[in-house]
Amino acid sequence: MKDLHTLSASKLHRLFLRGDLSAFEITNHFLARIEAHNDALGSFLKVHADKARKKACAIDERKARGLPLGKMAAIPVGIKDNTHIRGTITTCASKFLADYRAPFSATVVRLMEEAGAIPIGKTNLDEFSMGSSGENSAYAKSRNPWDLERTPGGSSGGSAAAVAARLVPIATGSDTGGSIRQPAAFCGIVGFKPTYGRVSRYGLIAFGSSMDQIGPLATCVEDAALMMEIIGRSCPHDPTTFDLPPETYLDLQKKDLEGKVVGVPWSFLHNLDPQSKQSFDSSVATLKDLGATIQEVDLDLLRYSIAVYYILATAEASTNLSRFDGIRYGKRSTKADSVEDIYQMSRNEGFGSEVKKRILLGTFVLSSGHQDEFYRKAQKMRFLMQEAFAEAFSACDYVVMPTSPVNAFPLGSFQDPFHMYLQDMFTIPANLACLPGISVPVPVAEGELPLGLQILGPQMRDAAVMQAAYAFECASSRIQIPRAFL
């Protein structure tokens, strides 16, 4: 079949089980897609072609012998290159880890492989997940398949671009301040950030440990639900995961929102460009047509979310990245003559400018003279924001916002870090409050760039958020594959 890439991951899995396709055929098709288009997109940093084909053959053999097959059997998956696959290089798109070979697989990778998924390669990202545009990789800029001169978003831009261009049917991302949802919106696909603690972070190289979450990037809500069925479970290696039974995500039957109340924080929704505002208003009208009651909620405290996030996230990044010292692993400067030189020169040569900026800021806010002034105040504000969301959810089932105040912007258009950071103003609150959130494509006019609607729910209501997204998706015209990648 020449058009395998037009099919969802769930459909490919069903065709495989029915005997219409082999895992080897599916894998070869997507490997050919990557070879043909990756140079233009910069989506994959490394492709594990031989390993993927060997895994596909093993799955075909299991099927031939009548052995049990997992829920993701025969589905190729892109893995963001801050997540370990045993025996392969994990770079975090940084020169510092150019030769670091992972000694174990992340829990999410292990669970997907046990379910029959085929990790096909490592996708590009902003270095150490620090960025909103895909421009901060040490190896290649990722590009948006809808317009190659525009950003695919960040930091999971490589995964988002790969899924949007159908180089892979589904991929993982990590979300610290919107790094799954914003690229999903920019690339016209679905991106889901689970409740903090729903998915194991074991094997994920940390950026902000109290906010990082792994989640799926997919072409449709059903595929995102499929991945969450596999990875959304507790892990003995990660004490922050919830020791609760896995949720059922694939029970996507209801196509309306009758009896549901949807909260909209209208006073917080500023800085929208005209297209984004029109699109959001239209999306709210669709939710109303689906039977939801629309109600305004007070979330004015969220105007402080950018400041709070960039204090807390950089503080945690400063602590987490202190292990990269050129001594135990990673890049070691060949010019160093002393231990102090090794520390300084290795980090200077290995880290990019954005990473250095965030380490410096994080170290500053944690310093003895400024910890009370910045870090502790930010923690108090984070608690107040969590209380504000709790109050909002006492009156509504979901909160909706645009995923981004703008659509995909041209590469290189933001030279001022402050204006770049503002692109995450609508996604950051979910991370600060540890909420589940999903970005779903919204209808746009012919020739316009994709946009996303963000749906947030209370903590631990991940499956309910997925159900609401499915209802919205069914009522909306879906964005198709970018014409250049058909």
Side-chain angles (χ1 to χ4, degrees):
M1 295 174 67
K2 294 181 179 179
D3 59 350
L4 291 186
H5 55 279
T6 65
L7 305 178
S8 69
S10 302
K11 178 68 172 176
L12 289 169
H13 175 68
R14 290 191 286 268
L15 290 174
F16 164 72
L17 293 180
R18 204 168 68 188
D20 294 340
L21 291 168
S22 69
F24 189 79
E25 287 175 310
I26 295 170
T27 301
N28 259 350
H29 179 85
F30 285 100
L31 286 171
R33 295 277 299 171
I34 294 169
E35 185 176 357
H37 298 296
N38 191 56
D39 286 348
L41 286 171
S43 293
F44 279 88
L45 292 177
K46 186 69 174 178
V47 180
H48 305 146
D50 292 342
K51 189 175 180 180
R53 290 190 178 102
K54 188 178 294 185
K55 174 80 171 176
C57 288
I59 291 169
D60 285 333
E61 186 177 344
R62 284 186 66 85
K63 184 172 183 292
R65 294 169 59 190
L67 296 174
L69 298 167
K71 290 182 179 180
M72 293 186 73
I75 299 175
V77 181
I79 306 295
K80 185 176 178 180
D81 196 23
N82 61 350
T83 307
H84 291 332
I85 302 176
R86 183 179 179 182
T88 65
I89 301 295
T90 302
T91 70
C92 280
S94 176
K95 292 179 182 177
F96 206 104
L97 293 177
D99 299 316
Y100 177 71
R101 193 171 297 276
F104 64 94
S105 286
T107 296
V108 294
V109 173
R110 176 181 60 79
L111 290 172
M112 286 191 291
E113 287 195 295
E114 289 174 357
I118 302 170
I120 205 168
K122 303 298 283 291
T123 58
N124 203 359
L125 65 151
D126 289 292
E127 185 180 4
F128 284 101
S129 298
M130 298 182 191
S132 304
S133 66
E135 297 173 278
N136 295 323
S137 170
Y139 302 106
K141 290 181 181 178
S142 294
R143 297 178 181 273
N144 193 315
W146 293 95
D147 182 343
L148 295 179
E149 298 306 313
R150 292 179 181 265
T151 174
S155 63
S156 307
S159 289
V163 172
R166 305 316 195 258
L167 306 195
V168 69
I170 195 167
T172 68
S174 63
D175 194 312
T176 310
S179 292
I180 290 174
R181 289 158 291 150
Q182 184 243 34
F186 282 3
C187 292
I189 60 173
V190 173
F192 180 67
K193 184 205 89 70
T195 297
Y196 181 82
R198 175 62 77 181
V199 175
S200 172
R201 293 182 294 112
Y202 181 69
L204 172 73
I205 295 181
F207 165 16
S209 300
S210 73
M211 289 171 268
D212 295 339
Q213 270 293 268
I214 298 172
L217 288 139
T219 61
C220 60
V221 173
E222 183 184 9
D223 284 0
L226 173 63
M227 184 182 285
M228 283 302 300
E229 288 262 334
I230 305 303
I231 68 173
R233 58 193 65 227
S234 63
C235 169
H237 302 295
D238 180 359
T240 64
T241 56
F242 295 106
D243 188 15
L244 295 171
E247 280 196 280
T248 300
Y249 294 88
L250 282 168
D251 187 20
L252 301 172
Q253 303 297 327
K254 196 173 181 185
K255 296 184 179 181
D256 62 57
L257 293 172
E258 288 290 341
K260 301 297 182 182
V261 179
V262 174
V264 183
W266 290 110
S267 60
F268 174 61
L269 302 180
H270 54 85
N271 290 338
L272 290 176
D273 69 11
Q275 182 193 351
S276 297
K277 186 177 187 313
Q278 181 181 3
S279 172
F280 181 68
D281 290 345
S282 176
S283 298
V284 171
T286 299
L287 295 171
K288 191 173 182 179
D289 291 342
L290 287 168
T293 300
I294 307 301
Q295 179 174 309
E296 183 167 6
V297 291
D298 180 9
L299 289 171
D300 284 352
L301 271 179
L302 301 188
R303 67 184 184 273
Y304 300 113
S305 58
I306 294 284
V308 170
Y309 173 80
Y310 279 99
I311 290 171
L312 298 181
T314 58
E316 293 181 15
S318 174
T319 302
N320 283 323
L321 270 64
S322 64
R323 74 193 72 177
F324 301 107
D325 53 15
I327 300 291
R328 288 162 288 186
Y329 46 75
K331 181 179 177 61
R332 179 180 295 189
S333 176
T334 58
K335 303 173 185 176
D337 295 323
S338 66
V339 172
E340 185 177 350
D341 283 348
I342 290 175
Y343 290 146
Q344 293 182 353
M345 298 175 77
S346 297
R347 288 168 171 167
N348 187 51
E349 294 170 18
F351 290 142
S353 60
E354 184 64 29
V355 174
K356 291 174 185 175
K357 277 187 282 191
R358 297 197 191 197
I359 290 174
L360 288 170
L361 177 57
T363 304
F364 175 79
V365 301
L366 286 175
S367 62
S368 59
H370 300 284
Q371 195 171 112
D372 287 340
E373 183 181 2
F374 293 106
Y375 182 75
R376 287 180 179 154
K377 281 185 179 178
Q379 287 285 24
K380 291 175 183 178
M381 280 302 304
R382 182 180 188 180
F383 177 74
L384 291 175
M385 290 177 191
Q386 291 171 347
E387 285 194 323
F389 268 115
E391 186 173 345
F393 285 124
S394 69
C396 65
D397 298 287
Y398 310 104
V399 169
V400 297
M401 291 184 274
T403 308
S404 173
V406 298
N407 55 25
F409 46 85
L411 292 164
S413 59
F414 287 109
Q415 302 301 320
D416 176 3
F418 176 72
H419 287 96
M420 179 69 82
Y421 297 163
L422 284 175
Q423 304 314 303
D424 299 328
M425 65 186 302
F426 298 139
T427 54
I428 281 172
N431 300 84
L432 293 173
C434 304
L435 305 176
I438 193 167
S439 178
V440 193
V442 301
V444 294
E446 182 71 27
E448 291 184 345
L449 292 167
L451 287 164
L453 174 70
Q454 183 181 201
I455 304 173
L456 307 178
Q459 292 180 11
M460 307 307 296
R461 296 297 306 278
D462 300 55
V465 169
M466 200 80 76
Q467 179 63 62
Y470 178 72
F472 179 80
E473 179 184 80
C474 290
S476 307
S477 58
R478 291 298 316 283
I479 297 177
Q480 301 302 312
I481 304 173
R483 195 169 286 114
F485 296 92
L486 282 169

